[in-house]
């Protein structure tokens, strides 16, 4: 491992730094402790519950990768958080965790899903209700992005977009493409993203996460959707990196997720953040799934300070580089700009 660079930054500083989180999956952001609480109350009402205690399951020293990571959601966390009570409890807990970590603007994303007694629309409504009722909402305005899963059919994708359009007034600001990058043909989602754009929704896409989802054809197809932001941008040919810069597309970089899941080679110091940081572009450091990877946003800022030698002043500037690509509108941009100007160094 490369020696850590010199910096005047410490954990107290990155915790107090006003931060903008733009790539956080709601379900992946639930802490093992919160999942344990949900599990405990489920176990009381259904003693025969076969699911393992999340504290046990998630504490195992597990090297997450594409084959172990996605089933964790589809066969475990979704089953655990499927009732109205557990959806509300876990969403509130996620909001509180981000606020406690010094996040001052949040865009959460989630794939509309259904369970017994909760339709996809009910689910979206429940999450939005939690955002509305959250007592810290003034200090941390939160918006919702609805995700299309790569395993969706074209009509399921359209259903997500229709829900996003329907709930725009209540705080849905964009549509995302996510899910197992080894699955699906992204070209079938063109009509859905076109419709989202026509209705004024913003677009963000998981982009070039693994080699299998990084063929030139796939990346070209995704760029044709006209994304406002891209997540991960790992296996991108250099020519296309310049094209991304030219189009002024915002970048959501999830360093701990990439390093821990071995999506990138090497450690934090070798992460492609190093390539983008000195370019003229909008960058947001993001957690992706803090419940799984255990590195809150304040720690992501600490890591880049330590591994890339960034000072307090440079971290304030870096946090501000996310403002340009938020989906929440001009007023929010001005509010965030003013907060960062006031930040003491
Ligand atoms: Zn993600």
């Amino acid at each position: 491992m490369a020696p850590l660079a010199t910096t005047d930054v410490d954990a107290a500083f990155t915790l107090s730094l006003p931060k903008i989180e733009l790539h956080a999956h709601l379900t992946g952001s639930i802490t093992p402790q919160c999942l344990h609480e949900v599990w405990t109350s489920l176990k009381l009402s259904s003693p025969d519950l076969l699911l393992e205690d999340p504290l046990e399951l998630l504490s195992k020293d597990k090297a997450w990768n594409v084959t172990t990571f996605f089933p964790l959601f589809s066969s475990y966390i979704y089953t655990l958080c499927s009732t109205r009570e557990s959806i509300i409890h876990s969403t509130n807990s996620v909001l509180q965790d981000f606020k406690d970590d010094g996040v001052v603007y949040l865009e959460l994303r989630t794939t509309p899903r259904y369970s017994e007694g909760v339709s996809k629309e009910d689910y979206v409504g429940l999450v939005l209700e939690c955002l509305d009722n959250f007592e810290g909402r003034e200090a941390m305005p939160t918006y919702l992005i609805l995700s299309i899963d790569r395993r969706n059919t074209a009509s399921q994708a359209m259903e997500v977009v229709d829900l996003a359009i329907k709930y725009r007034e209540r705080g849905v600001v964009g549509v995302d493409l996510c899910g197992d990058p080894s699955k699906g043909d992204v070209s079938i989602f063109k009509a859905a993203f076109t419709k989202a754009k026509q209705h004024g929704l913003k677009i963000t896409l998981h982009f070039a996460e693994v080699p299998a989802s990084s063929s030139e054809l796939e990346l070209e197809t995704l760029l044709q959707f006209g994304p406002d932001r891209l997540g991960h941008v790992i296996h991108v040919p250099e020519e296309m990196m310049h094209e991304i810069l030219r189009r002024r597309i915002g970048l959501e970089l999830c360093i701990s997720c990439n390093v821990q899941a071995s999506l990138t080679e090497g450690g934090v110091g070798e992460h492609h953040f190093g390539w983008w940081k000195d370019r003229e572009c909008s960058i947001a450091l993001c957690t992706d799934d803090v419940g799984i990877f255990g590195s809150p946003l304040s720690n992501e800022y600490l890591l880049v300070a330590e591994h890339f030698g960034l000072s307090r002043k440079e971290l304030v500037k870096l946090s501000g580089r996310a403002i340009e690509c938020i989906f929440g509108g001009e007023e929010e941009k001005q509010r965030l700009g003013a907060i960062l100007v006031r930040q003491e160094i």
Side-chain angles (χ1 to χ4, degrees):
M1 201 176 89
L4 297 185
T6 313
T7 174
D8 58 354
V9 171
D10 57 16
F13 179 78
T14 60
L15 181 64
S16 71
L17 176 71
K19 295 171 290 297
I20 294 167
E21 170 65 81
L22 303 180
H23 187 138
H25 298 268
L26 171 56
T27 314
S29 300
I30 308 170
T31 58
Q33 178 57 37
C34 175
L35 288 173
H36 173 74
E37 288 158 19
V38 170
W39 179 84
T40 307
S41 92
L42 262 184
K43 196 86 181 152
L44 278 176
S45 53
S46 328
D48 299 335
L49 185 74
L50 289 173
L51 292 175
E52 194 180 348
D53 182 344
L55 283 182
E56 299 276 321
L57 183 81
L58 295 167
S59 70
K60 284 173 193 158
D61 195 15
K62 207 161 194 171
W64 297 108
N65 57 42
V66 172
T67 36
T68 55
F69 184 78
F70 291 96
L72 175 72
F73 288 91
S74 51
S75 65
Y76 184 78
I77 302 181
Y78 286 170
T79 317
L80 204 53
C81 295
S82 58
T83 64
R84 303 176 79 84
E85 294 71 25
S86 58
I87 293 164
I88 293 169
H89 179 72
S90 55
T91 303
N92 286 337
S93 164
V94 165
L95 291 171
Q96 193 61 50
D97 290 341
F98 278 112
K99 179 154 183 302
D100 291 346
D101 191 45
V103 171
V104 293
Y105 175 91
L106 173 63
E107 289 177 14
L108 274 180
R109 59 185 71 189
T110 195
T111 312
R113 54 191 171 87
Y114 64 91
S115 45
E116 210 184 317
V118 185
S119 69
K120 287 185 183 179
E121 185 164 354
D122 292 340
Y123 172 75
V124 172
L126 273 178
V127 173
L128 285 169
E129 225 173 278
C130 292
L131 306 193
D132 277 347
N133 296 335
F134 180 56
E135 58 176 21
R137 67 185 181 282
E138 276 184 29
M140 186 186 73
T142 302
Y143 296 87
L144 196 62
I145 294 170
L146 296 187
S147 297
I148 292 170
D149 191 294
R150 293 175 65 105
R151 288 166 305 177
N152 283 165
T153 61
S155 72
Q156 286 168 330
M158 199 55 97
E159 195 187 344
V160 173
V161 170
D162 287 336
L163 279 173
I165 294 167
K166 185 166 177 184
Y167 287 96
R168 245 194 103 188
E169 294 299 308
R170 290 203 36 210
V172 177
V173 287
V175 180
D176 164 45
L177 178 66
C178 74
D180 188 340
S182 62
K183 303 261 160 47
D185 166 13
V186 298
S187 68
I188 66 166
F189 303 127
K190 177 134 199 342
F193 282 102
T194 303
K195 185 170 181 184
K197 234 179 155 54
Q198 281 166 349
H199 283 79
L201 289 160
K202 300 284 189 181
I203 292 174
T204 178
L205 306 169
H206 281 64
F207 193 80
E209 265 180 296
V210 297
S213 66
S214 307
S215 68
E216 213 175 311
L217 177 66
E218 170 155 341
L219 299 186
E220 290 287 355
T221 305
L222 291 174
L223 285 183
Q224 281 168 14
F225 294 173
D228 301 281
R229 294 201 310 251
L230 295 172
H232 298 295
V233 290
I234 300 170
H235 303 278
V236 186
E238 186 146 352
E239 211 173 292
M240 197 175 274
M241 288 159 96
H242 288 285
E243 177 63 13
I244 290 167
L245 288 173
R246 199 186 60 74
R247 294 197 196 186
R248 307 189 68 81
I249 300 175
L251 304 168
E252 304 156 358
L253 301 181
C254 312
I255 298 178
S256 286
C257 152
N258 294 169
V259 171
Q260 288 187 37
S262 302
L263 297 175
T264 47
E265 280 178 29
V268 173
E270 286 74 49
H271 192 271
H272 48 287
F273 166 77
W275 193 91
W276 295 100
K277 76 177 169 53
D278 299 322
R279 262 75 183 184
E280 206 172 309
C281 56
S282 188
I283 296 179
L285 293 188
C286 303
T287 55
D288 207 357
D289 296 289
V290 62
I292 312 293
F293 301 112
S295 175
L297 194 54
S298 57
N299 193 54
E300 294 299 293
Y301 277 86
L302 184 61
L303 287 174
V304 298
E306 288 173 349
H307 289 266
F308 294 93
L310 300 190
S311 65
R312 291 179 176 218
K313 202 171 162 189
E314 286 167 321
L315 280 199
V316 174
K317 209 169 153 202
L318 176 62
S319 181
R321 284 175 75 179
I323 297 177
E324 192 189 320
C325 65
I326 66 165
F327 291 170
E330 281 310 310
E331 225 169 275
E332 289 290 4
K333 288 183 184 178
Q334 284 174 17
R335 183 185 73 88
L336 293 169
I339 291 175
L340 280 164
V341 164
R342 290 198 303 269
Q343 174 65 13
E344 282 179 26
I345 295 165

